């Protein structure tokens, strides 16, 4: 069932009470104009469209300040930048505060440190990492630290079309904010930076199989196991993470596709269920979500895939209760709702598929 974005109520039951709000980051080409807001009915999985939250250029990924009062969006353009917004929690509208340069091109991901003191953005096109301070009013300062990744060994990676140079693709903080981990698709590396001293100090580089293209990263709730989805091989690499040193030690690599899958597919997003019992990745090409059980020690057991009811799933968001997943289908201009079985971890489509132009990122408001 395809429901237009402009519909006020999308299988939403007002009598069920207010539910969590989430924001959708997009590529701002017609019909998209920027960042959109929705409210999820926590009982039925219905969606209420709250409209355009902010008109902004290519806000492909967004992140929240820990206090929940500010939102930050990358502007994925040749001259990369991050825009800061204040959040009206009554209307879910965003008011622009200011914009800061990422000192690179094509910023595609960002994260705010757990203390709310700064954010880190990664530039995909230029392969670099930038640290930007945040003041008490949520505004961004001038970049305070920067690291340019080098070329792959030999000048190009195993895939010369996608790994001709560095391509920093995501950044995630350790729970204590001491470290930040950056996956670089072009280098087949996950780089750990020490960030609690005010800079970007490379303390360890973990390598994945050549030609894998590590894309996005997730930590277990304990903070002791890390997971990386690879774009070019559609695998998940499991690491032990040392919270004292920031070191990553690989212990498993598992496919995110069924053994009988034929065709081309690219891994995109990865997330651990709030319970810590399940893990999910998105597959562009097979247009699916891969489902895994997390076993003792953090290793994964493949449970299967579920269609995203659209084309080219990028990011997906799991609501804070862990009962619902929203998937963003970029090429079909839709988002789809799934219910998560709390015992098996498997997904069940609710049936609501809502139109949003070029959706990329789904983030629930804290």
């Amino acid at each position: 069932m395809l429901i237009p974005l402009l519909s006020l109520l999308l299988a939403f039951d007002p009598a069920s009470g207010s539910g969590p709000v989430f924001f959708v980051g997009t590529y701002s080409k017609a019909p998209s104009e920027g960042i959109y807001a929705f409210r999820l009915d926590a009982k039925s999985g219905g969606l209420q469209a709250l409209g355009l939250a902010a008109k902004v250029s290519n806000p492909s990924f967004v992140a929240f300040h820990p206090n929940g009062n500010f939102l930050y969006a990358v502007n994925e353009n040749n001259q990369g930048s991050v825009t800061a917004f204040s959040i009206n929690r009554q209307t879910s509208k965003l008011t622009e505060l200011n914009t800061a340069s990422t000192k690179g091109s094509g910023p595609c991901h960002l994260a705010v440190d757990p203390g709310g003191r700064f954010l880190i953005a990664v530039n995909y096109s230029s392969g670099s990492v930038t640290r930007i301070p945040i003041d008490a009013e949520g505004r961004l300062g001038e970049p305070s630290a920067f690291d340019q990744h080098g070329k792959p060994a030999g000048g190009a990676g195993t895939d010369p079309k996608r790994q001709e140079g560095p391509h920093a693709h995501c950044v995630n903080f350790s729970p204590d904010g001491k470290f930040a981990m950056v996956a670089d698709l072009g280098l087949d590396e996950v780089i750990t930076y020490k960030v609690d001293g005010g800079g970007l100090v490379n303390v360890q580089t973990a390598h994945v199989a050549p030609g894998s293209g590590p894309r996005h990263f997730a930590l277990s709730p304990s903070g002791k196991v890390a997971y990386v989805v690879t774009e070019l091989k559609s695998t998940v690499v499991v690491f032990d993470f040392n919270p004292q040193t920031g070191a990553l030690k690989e212990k498993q690599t598992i496919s995110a596709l069924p053994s009988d899958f034929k065709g081309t597919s690219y891994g995109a997003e990865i997330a651990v269920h709030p319970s810590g019992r399940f893990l999910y990745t998105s597959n562009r090409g097979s247009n699916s979500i891969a489902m895994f059980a997390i076993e003792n020690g953090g290793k994964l057991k493949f449970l299967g895939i579920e269609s995203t009811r659209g084309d080219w799933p990028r990011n997906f968001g799991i609501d804070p209760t862990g009962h619902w997943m929203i998937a963003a289908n970029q090429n079909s201009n839709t988002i789809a709702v799934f219910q998560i079985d709390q015992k098996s971890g498997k997904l069940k489509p609710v049936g609501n598929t809502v139109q949003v132009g070029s959706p990329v990122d789904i983030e629930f408001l804290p």
Side-chain angles (χ1 to χ4, degrees), residues 161-198:
K161 292 183 178 180
R162 298 298 310 281
Q163 297 181 308
E164 82 295 345
H167 292 301
H169 217 309
C170 79
V171 56
N172 298 77
F173 285 95
S174 60
D176 60 5
K178 183 178 179 180
F179 300 105
M181 286 65 67
V182 173
D184 193 303
L185 182 150
L187 301 181
D188 284 326
E189 295 176 351
V190 181
I191 300 169
T192 300
Y193 293 95
K194 191 172 186 296
V195 296
D196 60 349

Side-chain angles (χ1 to χ4, degrees), residues 306-325:
E306 179 66 43
S307 168
T308 60
R309 274 62 179 173
D311 184 23
W312 215 248
R314 289 286 297 266
N315 171 266
F316 53 86
I318 300 173
D319 87 295
T321 71
H323 283 80
W324 304 97
M325 177 187 290

